[in-house]
């Protein structure tokens, strides 16, 4: 891969056109591409005749801190969070469209590293998925928006609204690790006045690499989404906002109660319930189904409404809501 220009060049110094020239060769290619980056729009093959489409944003401050996330981390996470949403519908991710609004002082090398993160995440989590287009603009706040496309390959989409009493509730992926990592960052990767600190961050990473990696570079079980659909999953969603909040969404959409077994949630059930950004998959399966992939049972669907934990109503909101959490501090 050949780079041109200096790593110190900023976007403002080289212009949008030259920045894109340096980014394009680093982007992953999609196996569905008929016309890729370079025209006004991409053209993708749609052998199923349908497309799954989803979008997600990451904004500096509420969603990430540059003091803790490298540009490559951000590329990985931007891809991973969208790939998991496609998988949650039972589809195979095929293409990403990426838009970035960056401060003019951002080095072009950061955009190149971001592209490397996109490529690495697609290769590891959804081989054959690639970037087919996007946009680059200017903003005082670094903002990343990704739109992902997926192929159902003849499957019916798995919705949140199909859970039925008697179904087994199952999860693929670790619960609570990303939230534990984020808690460590805010508690220990800062100086005395709460400002992110590089030396403290390095110490936290060295002491808790798996938890920090779960927060900065989530590894959603993308392949388990289509496997769940093939196994007859009645409902499914991506665990992006916390098990309690997301399970409640399935219960509300399906008109049922979901009863989670705290004994299945690991050593810290409360963190597993209320921590966000796991990016695993929550699915419901008919009783007796052999659970596919990495799915393991965590509860059962019952007649009624709402969320239960161990048979008792769980009313704590839990999870992540950007408007309720936002305090205006970019960090």
């Amino acid at each position: 891969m050949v780079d041109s220009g200096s790593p110190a060049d900023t976007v403002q110094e080289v212009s949008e056109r030259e920045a894109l020239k340096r980014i394009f060769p680093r982007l992953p290619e999609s196996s569905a591409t008929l016309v890729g980056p370079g025209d006004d729009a991409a053209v993708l093959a749609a052998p199923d005749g349908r497309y799954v489409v989803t979008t997600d944003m990451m904004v500096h401050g509420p969603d990430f801190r540059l003091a803790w996330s490298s540009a490559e981390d951000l590329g990985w996470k931007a891809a991973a969070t969208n790939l998991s949403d496609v998988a949650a519908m039972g589809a195979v991710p095929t293409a990403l469209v990426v838009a970035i609004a960056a401060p003019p002082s951002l080095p072009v090398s950061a955009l190149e590293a971001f592209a490397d993160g996109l490529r690495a995440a697609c290769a590891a989590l959804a081989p054959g998925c690639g970037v087919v287009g996007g946009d680059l603009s200017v903003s005082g706040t670094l903002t990343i928006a990704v739109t992902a496309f997926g192929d159902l390959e003849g499957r019916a989409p798995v919705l949140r609204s199909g859970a039925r009493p008697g179904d087994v509730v199952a999860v693929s992926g670790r619960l609570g690790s990303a939230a534990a990592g984020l808690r460590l960052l805010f508690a220990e990767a800062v100086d005395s006045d709460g400002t992110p600190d590089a030396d403290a961050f390095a110490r936290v990473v060295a002491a808790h690499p798996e938890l920090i990696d779960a927060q900065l570079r989530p590894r959603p079980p993308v392949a388990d989404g289509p496997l769940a659909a093939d196994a007859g999953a009645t409902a499914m969603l991506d665990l992006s906002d916390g098990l309690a909040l997301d399970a409640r969404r399935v219960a509300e959409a399906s008109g049922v109660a979901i009863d989670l077994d705290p004994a299945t949630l690991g050593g810290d059930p409360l963190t597993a319930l209320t921590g966000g950004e796991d990016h695993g998959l929550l699915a419901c399966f008919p009783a007796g189904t052999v659970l596919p992939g990495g799915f393991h049972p965590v509860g059962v669907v019952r007649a009624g409404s709402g969320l239960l934990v161990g048979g008792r109503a769980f009313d704590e909101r839990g999870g992540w809501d950007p408007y309720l959490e936002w305090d205006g501090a970019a960090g």
Side-chain angles (χ1 to χ4, degrees):
M1 192 174 298
V2 178
D3 292 332
S4 60
S6 165
D9 291 340
T10 67
V11 180
Q12 188 174 44
E13 289 170 336
V14 304
S15 79
E16 177 187 16
R17 175 186 172 89
E18 292 304 314
L20 290 173
K21 281 185 178 180
R22 288 167 58 169
I23 296 169
F24 279 161
R26 312 179 86 97
L27 295 174
E29 296 183 3
S30 165
S31 59
T33 302
L34 299 178
V35 177
D39 283 271
D40 289 329
V43 180
L44 304 177
D48 180 86
R50 302 167 297 171
Y51 255 120
V52 169
V53 182
T54 185
T55 193
D56 195 42
M57 293 181 67
M58 291 169 49
V59 181
H60 183 245
D63 296 312
F64 64 88
R65 308 290 172 105
L66 288 171
W68 295 331
S69 294
S70 70
E72 189 167 343
D73 290 336
L74 294 178
W76 178 290
K77 190 168 185 176
T81 56
N82 282 274
L83 297 173
S84 61
D85 282 329
V86 171
M89 299 299 291
V92 174
T94 56
L96 305 176
V97 176
V98 182
I100 302 173
S105 59
L106 187 76
V108 180
S109 59
L111 294 178
E112 292 174 319
F114 180 85
D116 290 343
L118 290 170
R119 188 180 68 253
C122 287
L125 304 173
C129 181
V131 176
V132 298
D135 191 28
L136 186 62
S137 188
V138 64
S139 170
T141 301
L142 180 59
T143 302
I144 301 158
V146 176
T147 298
F149 299 84
D151 183 2
L152 286 163
E153 298 180 330
R155 304 177 190 89
V158 185
L159 310 181
R160 301 178 181 184
S161 54
R164 300 167 298 192
D167 283 354
V168 173
V169 181
V171 165
S172 178
R174 296 179 62 182
L175 295 172
S177 294
L182 186 62
R183 187 165 59 239
L184 281 168
L185 290 173
F186 276 107
E188 300 181 18
V190 294
D191 59 23
S192 58
D193 65 0
T195 302
D197 178 84
D199 291 336
F201 172 69
R203 290 193 294 271
V204 172
V205 172
H208 307 280
E210 290 188 5
L211 296 181
I212 302 305
D213 200 52
Q215 168 58 220
L216 302 184
R217 288 197 175 215
R219 292 180 174 270
V222 175
D224 281 357
L227 290 179
D230 290 339
T234 58
M236 186 160 53
L237 86 172
D238 159 57
L239 285 170
S240 56
D241 295 326
L243 177 60
L245 195 156
D246 287 328
R248 192 176 286 116
R249 286 171 171 155
V250 173
E252 291 174 354
S254 298
V256 296
I258 287 186
D259 190 356
L260 299 175
D261 180 357
T264 66
L265 303 181
D268 186 357
L270 187 59
T271 297
L273 283 164
T274 61
E277 296 194 295
D278 292 313
H279 296 293
L281 297 172
L282 172 71
C284 300
F285 296 91
T289 299
V290 176
L291 298 181
F295 280 98
H296 60 279
V298 295
V300 65
V301 178
R302 302 190 186 282
S305 62
L307 178 65
L308 310 174
V309 176
R312 297 184 178 182
F314 187 85
D315 296 324
E316 184 173 339
R317 175 177 63 87
W320 170 257
D321 182 313
Y323 290 101
L324 295 179
E325 307 294 341
W326 174 241
D327 63 5

